[in-house]
């Protein structure tokens, strides 16, 4: 996620975004910033969970479950909903 987030956010590789269609997007740079940043957040969260699992091994499953069942769906939902502001409007 960190690698994809970097490529999309800082290198503008919007073609790496699933379902990307240049005909439907009015602001590819904005979309790249938004989606790339969210991927970087998910990657940083995964890294934080890994660190917490090493520091507090008794709660490893809890940390993973919270990340997998709360953080990932929440950020994914925000990304999908927020991406619509970069789509072309029908006139």
């Amino acid at each position: 996620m960190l690698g994809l987030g970097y490529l999309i956010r800082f290198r503008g590789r919007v073609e790496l975004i699933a379902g990307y269609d240049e005909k439907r997007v009015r602001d590819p740079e904005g979309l790249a910033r938004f989606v790339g940043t969210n991927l970087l957040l998910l990657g940083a969260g995964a890294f934080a969970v890994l660190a917490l699992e090493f520091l507090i091994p008794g709660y490893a499953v809890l940390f993973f479950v919270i990340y997998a069942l709360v953080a990932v769906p929440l950020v994914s939902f925000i990304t999908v909903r927020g991406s619509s502001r970069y789509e072309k409007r029908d006139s």
Side-chain angles (χ1 to χ4, degrees):
M1 284 184 275
L2 288 172
L4 280 175
Y6 170 79
L7 288 172
I8 294 169
R9 169 76 169 91
F10 296 107
R11 298 294 180 201
R13 301 281 308 270
V14 291
E15 71 274 4
L16 296 174
I17 299 171
Y20 176 75
D21 181 4
E22 67 182 46
K23 296 176 189 106
R24 295 179 49 207
V25 176
R26 65 176 168 83
D27 183 8
E29 293 84 16
L31 181 64
R33 279 192 309 275
F34 183 68
V35 173
T37 299
N38 288 341
L39 275 170
L40 289 170
L41 286 173
L42 282 176
F47 184 76
V49 167
L50 177 65
L52 286 170
E53 288 177 357
F54 279 110
L55 294 172
I56 313 169
Y59 292 97
V61 172
L62 177 64
F63 295 139
F64 175 77
V65 167
I66 290 171
Y67 177 75
L69 297 180
V70 176
V72 171
L74 180 63
V75 173
S76 299
F77 177 78
I78 290 168
T79 303
V80 169
R81 295 289 296 191
S83 295
S84 64
R85 75 180 128 184
Y86 301 101
E87 291 181 0
K88 291 180 181 174
R89 307 273 187 234
D90 291 332
S91 304

